[in-house]
Amino acid sequence: MLTSTNPRTGETRPTGIAACAPDEADAVIRAADAAFAAASAHDRLWRAGLLDALADALDAHRDDLAAVADAETGLGLPRLTGEVGRSSFQFRMFAEALRDGGYLEATIDHADTTALGPQPEIRRMLVPLGTIAVFGSSNFPFAFSVAGGDTASALAAGNAVVLKAHSSHLATSKASHAVLRDAAAAYGAPEGLIGIVYGTDAGRVLVSHPLVQAVGFTGSLHGGRAIMDLIDARPRPIPFYGELSSLNPLIVTPAAAAARGEAIADGLYGSFTLGSGQFCTKPGVAFVPTGDAGDALVARIAAKATDAAATVLLNGRIASSFDEIRDRVVATGSVAVLAQGVADPGAGFTAVPTVLATTAAALTSEATEEAFGPLIVLVRFDEDAEIVRALDAVPDSLTATVHSEASDADAVAALVRELSPRVGRLVFDGYPTGVRVSWAQHHGGPWPATNSQHTSVGVSAIRRFLRPLAWQDAPEALLPAELRDGYEGIPRRVDGVLQLG
């Protein structure tokens, strides 16, 4: 039987959950594939209603789900109840996208004679893939796990989903799945449309199974590479959408440090310690100018860290990895320990806020290894050219942030030109933690942040689990309703002209 550990105490307890044997995992996947075929008889408006029903069920069980998760993650009830709300919000947002219909990219080119001669009729839109494997993440037991955005977007696209429960919150995963499964059944969805498997071996079966058509993953670079290796070994490789590793550089200009250094110090400290630093968008490296204003900003962050108590990490693996990476970075000799919090000798899994310091000239790639926890490297610089050179030592990321003043306009424009190819989201005068769930959001970035150009947050996340299909000279009866002449209610591009429906 699999066990669950309370990270606050280190106490392990049985879950009553057994790891799935290969044949059990196979049965779950085959049930999902059959459910996908059955659900394909329903239209996108039916799916929108399903997503709303799942959101309603999550809201109805919010307190119970949060209580289960708190015992497995130590994240606290306020954070966890809010996260369940974020999950239900995501389901409703995708229901809205389904009713809008623009995500289909419906396009019609009627038969015509062009400069290239007579041309056939072509109609094109996006269609679902089939059964999608989704791996839950450790740091978001709801929003990036069983009830998370990958599940919501894959279901919205018209697929079936089989989830791999994360070992850090097995009971939470089981409870979340039960809520979704029961709500789907009450709505009339085919049995097996949302499946779940437990255990590492079951995860391997899931990735390698011929009926699985794509994989969504949020986790470590090491875990992502392992899944990619399994996919590469398949006779027919499939798409893999992984969110993997990110340093999220933050830059403070001299003018910003002088104008509001105290506020930036407070905001930056809050951002890199939020959730014990266990956010993929945590600013792990910050460029701070030399001089009195920069010195004051750094001193304020260091003072906060020195006075801080240890905070709970999600599991023992993260705690030991944090210690190893911190020590390895310090051992490079290119950084110094500027401040550390007060250690806790208790039995749980904890870490203390840690501030490391170096200069832009001394920064190396070895010093910019992601430490999943409350650690930041403060990099001092004299001029912007030093930042540009030092950025080559920082892995490409999900985000980059610039704090500046109006007088910095030209310098900021130059920095943005350098940062834009390296990240997926640019943040100005704010902090990258706290990812808005919206239509315009992009949560992705160049490798190693992610391995694709797609987002895992926001409406366009649905695009990962769809593929284009074109119909040439097809009889109308064989066309999807959205591609038939006279269909209204969704945006379509007809003979090159966008029609809003």
Side-chain angles (χ1 to χ4, degrees):
M1 288 293 176
L2 300 172
T3 60
S4 174
T5 302
N6 186 325
R8 294 189 181 97
T9 64
E11 178 185 3
T12 297
R13 61 181 179 83
T15 63
I17 300 170
C20 293
D23 61 334
E24 293 173 316
D26 175 75
V28 173
I29 296 165
R30 292 187 182 280
D33 188 64
F36 164 70
S40 296
H42 297 288
D43 63 14
R44 59 189 169 82
L45 299 181
W46 178 89
R47 293 201 306 276
L50 171 62
L51 296 181
D52 283 338
L54 298 178
D56 290 343
L58 288 171
D59 286 341
H61 292 84
R62 182 181 305 194
D63 292 342
D64 292 339
L65 289 172
V68 175
D70 188 46
E72 292 191 305
T73 66
L75 291 173
L77 291 176
R79 149 76 191 270
L80 291 166
T81 53
E83 192 180 324
V84 178
R86 171 181 167 140
S87 290
S88 63
F89 180 87
Q90 289 184 119
F91 278 92
R92 290 195 177 93
M93 182 183 68
F94 282 109
E96 180 183 350
L98 289 178
R99 294 185 175 100
D100 171 271
Y103 77 96
L104 290 168
E105 300 180 14
T107 306
I108 299 171
D109 292 325
H110 289 104
D112 196 8
T113 299
T114 73
L116 300 177
Q119 300 297 315
E121 175 186 273
I122 299 288
R123 301 181 185 228
R124 174 189 181 275
M125 68 180 233
L126 302 181
V127 298
L129 301 178
T131 297
I132 308 300
V134 171
F135 282 68
S137 71
S138 62
N139 58 335
F140 282 89
F142 299 111
F144 282 87
S145 293
V146 170
D150 283 356
T151 300
S153 56
L155 290 173
N159 302 287
V161 173
V162 177
L163 297 133
K164 161 59 174 67
H166 197 281
S167 59
S168 287
H169 44 75
L170 294 167
T172 305
S173 296
K174 182 178 180 180
S176 299
H177 175 254
V179 169
L180 297 182
R181 179 200 61 208
D182 293 349
Y187 183 75
E191 183 179 357
L193 188 68
I194 308 170
I196 191 168
V197 297
Y198 302 91
T200 301
D201 289 343
R204 295 191 184 99
V205 172
L206 189 56
V207 174
S208 303
H209 202 284
L211 293 179
V212 170
Q213 305 300 321
V215 179
F217 173 83
T218 300
S220 68
L221 183 59
H222 173 76
R225 285 188 181 277
I227 291 176
M228 292 170 70
D229 288 343
L230 288 170
I231 289 173
D232 288 343
R234 290 173 54 120
R236 185 173 68 86
I238 56 176
F240 171 62
Y241 300 108
E243 183 198 311
L244 307 172
S245 176
S246 193
L247 260 290
N248 307 299
L250 182 147
I251 299 170
V252 182
T253 68
R260 47 192 172 89
E262 184 174 303
I264 292 173
D266 292 347
L268 180 54
Y269 180 83
S271 187
F272 92 84
T273 59
L274 182 66
S276 298
Q278 298 169 116
F279 278 48
C280 54
T281 50
K282 178 199 77 174
V285 58
F287 292 87
V288 181
T290 55
D292 292 344
D295 291 346
L297 189 159
V298 168
R300 187 173 180 86
I301 292 176
K304 284 179 171 291
T306 300
D307 293 340
T311 57
V312 178
L313 297 179
L314 290 161
N315 56 53
R317 185 176 64 254
I318 290 175
S320 61
S321 178
F322 178 81
D323 290 342
E324 291 170 5
I325 293 173
R326 178 201 59 218
D327 293 345
R328 188 159 60 238
V329 170
V330 172
T332 65
S334 62
V335 300
V337 178
L338 187 62
Q340 284 184 296
V342 181
D344 182 356
F349 309 127
T350 62
V352 295
T354 302
V355 181
L356 306 181
T358 187
T359 65
L363 187 67
T364 64
S365 58
E366 291 76 18
T368 56
E369 182 178 0
E370 182 186 21
F372 202 61
L375 180 146
I376 192 169
V377 179
L378 299 182
V379 182
R380 308 301 300 275
F381 68 94
D382 292 314
E383 55 185 27
D384 288 358
E386 294 178 328
I387 300 175
V388 173
R389 289 192 296 269
L391 283 173
D392 288 336
V394 180
D396 289 350
S397 297
L398 294 167
T399 75
T401 301
V402 179
H403 281 263
S404 65
E405 293 295 303
S407 58
D408 292 322
D410 291 342
V412 169
L415 287 173
V416 166
R417 285 193 294 272
E418 285 292 330
L419 292 169
S420 294
R422 305 172 188 262
V423 302
R425 177 164 57 105
L426 293 167
V427 181
F428 297 92
D429 301 323
Y431 303 92
T433 42
V435 180
R436 178 180 178 182
V437 180
S438 71
W439 289 70
Q441 183 60 268
H442 181 76
H443 187 63
W447 178 271
T450 59
N451 70 317
S452 78
Q453 296 180 351
H454 292 280
T455 179
S456 60
V457 179
V459 169
S460 61
I462 196 174
R463 187 61 176 81
R464 299 171 298 167
F465 304 123
L466 294 160
R467 67 179 181 89
L469 180 62
W471 289 257
Q472 181 169 321
D473 292 331
E476 183 175 273
L478 299 181
L479 290 169
E482 291 89 348
L483 289 183
R484 296 177 184 177
D485 288 337
Y487 187 89
E488 296 180 350
I490 68 168
R492 305 196 304 179
R493 187 171 294 277
V494 180
D495 296 328
V497 178
L498 180 62
Q499 299 179 353
L500 298 182

